[in-house]
Amino acid sequence: MQTDPKPRTLYVVGTPIGNLEDITFRAVRILQTVDIIAAEDTRHTGKLLQHFQVKTPQVSYHEHNRTSRIPELLEHLVNNKAIALVSDAGMPGISDPGYELVKACIEAGIAVVPIPGASAAITALSAAGLPTDRFVFEGFLPAKSQQRQEHLESLQTESRTLVFYESPHRLRDTLQDLALVWGSDRQIVLGRELTKLYEEFWRGTIAEAIAHYNQREPQGEYTLVVAGIPASQPQLTEEELKAELKQLISQGISRSQASRQLAKFTSLPRRQLYQLALSIVLTPEL
């Protein structure tokens, strides 16, 4: 029996990530019958609503107005209104400020009801051909290279499959940083324009992805699915790591180079190994 929408309820509504046919019957019904739709971009959502002949009024709710908008939306909810929260694509709260409104509603005793829908991360993961039993969703990586490399180093020992979002204008830089920090032979799948007319999956190593996109201009939004390190990756003690570093340094390379080289072999963070390298006292040859 259909009893929703209910007053004093926030509905978290999944919308298509590209193909409009991916919206659910329930999602359309909720959008038609709530009092207000809180949309990330009202112009973008307006096209979806027009397609499905939904005439419910919209208000904007996004990264730049969330502080002032949350109290307004809570006031409507307290006054027995039902609100649907939508993002531009996919499930609200995934790489957008939707979770802050959800959190505020929970703290205020407002019911929160999810209306499941498409998600680019799960869509890409399901077709990637990499392990799906355990995975990590990391959203968008930092825009600046140094911060991006530091974040990737923190994930260097992750054995689960990793999922990222990336924009076309940063894709090449991100691939270069992946190769620098994780090595170039890691398996990667790039899902582009998922569920849309030009949907494409590209599969190979990070090195092959770099070569591919050096010859082709990245276009569309990307979801990156990257293999974790093998479970059989060797785990060395601190003393064994120091011994390996000392051996590498004795061959005439710098402590920084030795740390980077060992990081690729062990999948340990380069900065952690560099600190170990700095603690090594080298005995001068007689």
Side-chain angles (χ1 to χ4, degrees), residues 22-44:
D22 291 337
I23 199 167
T24 67
F25 292 120
R26 186 183 179 201
V28 172
R29 179 168 57 81
I30 292 296
L31 294 176
Q32 289 173 334
T33 51
V34 293
D35 299 293
I36 301 168
I37 297 172
E40 186 176 1
D41 184 334
T42 55
R43 292 168 300 179
H44 182 90

Side-chain angles (χ1 to χ4, degrees), residues 46 54 68 72 102 125 174 211 267:
V54 175
S68 60
E72 296 176 16
V102 170
L125 186 66
T174 293
S267 291

Side-chain angles (χ1 to χ4, degrees), residues 149-221:
Q149 289 178 26
E150 290 174 355
H151 188 71
L152 289 172
E153 285 180 354
S154 72
L155 298 169
Q156 200 162 11
T157 59
E158 180 59 68
S159 62
R160 294 170 290 184
T161 300
L162 299 109
V163 184
F164 303 94
Y165 289 157
E166 193 51 276
S167 61
H169 68 276
R170 282 205 301 263
L171 179 66
R172 288 171 173 164
D173 290 340
T174 293
L175 290 173
Q176 291 289 348
D177 285 339
L178 284 169
L180 179 66
V181 179
W182 290 356
S184 59
D185 59 347
R186 190 90 68 101
Q187 290 293 311
I188 185 171
V189 178
L190 293 92
R192 182 178 76 89
E193 295 290 89
L194 297 176
T195 78
K196 300 178 183 178
L197 180 62
Y198 297 105
E199 175 183 275
E200 178 185 53
F201 284 92
W202 186 94
R203 299 173 176 87
T205 65
I206 293 173
E208 291 168 341
I210 291 171
H212 177 76
Y213 283 101
N214 280 342
Q215 297 179 1
R216 175 177 177 174
E217 191 69 27
Q219 294 181 326
E221 297 300 317

Side-chain angles (χ1 to χ4, degrees), residues 238 241-242 245 271-280:
E238 183 173 310
L241 291 171
K242 286 184 176 181
L245 287 166
R271 283 175 172 77
Q272 175 186 337
L273 294 172
Y274 182 62
Q275 291 301 314
L276 279 180
L278 291 176
S279 69
I280 295 172

